[in-house]
Amino acid sequence: QVQLVESGGGLVQPGGSLRLSCAASGIIFRLYTMAWYRQAPGKQRELVALITSVGSTNYQGSAKGRCTISRDNAKNTVYLQMSSLKPEDTAVYYCNAVLSRGDYWGKGTLVTVSS
C-alpha cells in the first residue's frame, strides 16, 4: 500500500521559515519524481516544486526563489524548505510521487502564514 505522509505544516509569521517533509512508503522511492503542490482556499491546486529521480529541480509560481526542494533516498523522504513566507503562501501543501505508470498523493499539510 502506497502512503505519502506530509508533516511540518503549521502557523508561521510573515517572513518566517518552514520545512515540510513527506515520507513515502510502498514505492521504490528513488525511481519517482517527487513534487510539492499547494492549494489555497478558493483556488486551484498549483505546482510549487519538483525534483526528479536524478535530482534535477524545477520551481513554479510565486514561491519560486523562496523555496528549496530536496530528497533523501535513504529515508524515502522529500523536503520543501520555505523562507520569507507571505500570507499568500497560506495553503494546504500536498506531496506527489510521479512515475510513468501513474502518480500518488498525500493528504496534505496546512501552512498558515499570519501574524
Side-chain angles (χ1 to χ4, degrees):
Q1 182 182 0
V2 177
Q3 281 193 313
L4 301 177
V5 180
E6 301 96 336
S7 61
L11 176 64
V12 61
Q13 291 188 340
S17 299
L18 209 60
R19 189 178 81 157
L20 305 181
S21 301
C22 171
S25 59
I27 58 172
I28 305 175
F29 180 80
R30 60 182 173 82
L31 298 180
Y32 280 72
T33 289
M34 300 299 297
W36 286 97
Y37 286 75
R38 68 184 182 184
Q39 187 166 18
K43 295 188 177 181
Q44 289 188 332
R45 192 173 297 189
E46 64 175 4
L47 175 66
V48 178
L50 66 82
I51 184 166
T52 70
S53 60
V54 295
S56 299
T57 58
N58 188 294
Y59 299 90
Q60 299 286 327
S62 61
K64 189 175 181 179
R66 298 185 291 115
C67 61
T68 302
I69 190 170
S70 61
R71 65 190 298 161
D72 185 337
N73 289 342
K75 295 183 178 180
N76 287 0
T77 301
V78 62
Y79 304 97
L80 184 69
Q81 178 72 47
M82 299 188 293
S83 60
S84 301
L85 285 163
K86 306 174 182 180
E88 50 263 44
D89 294 316
T90 295
V92 177
Y93 285 72
Y94 296 92
C95 178
N96 175 247
V98 182
L99 200 57
S100 57
R101 66 192 67 182
D103 66 344
Y104 302 97
W105 291 89
K107 293 182 179 181
T109 185
L110 176 63
V111 173
T112 303
V113 184
S114 175
S115 54

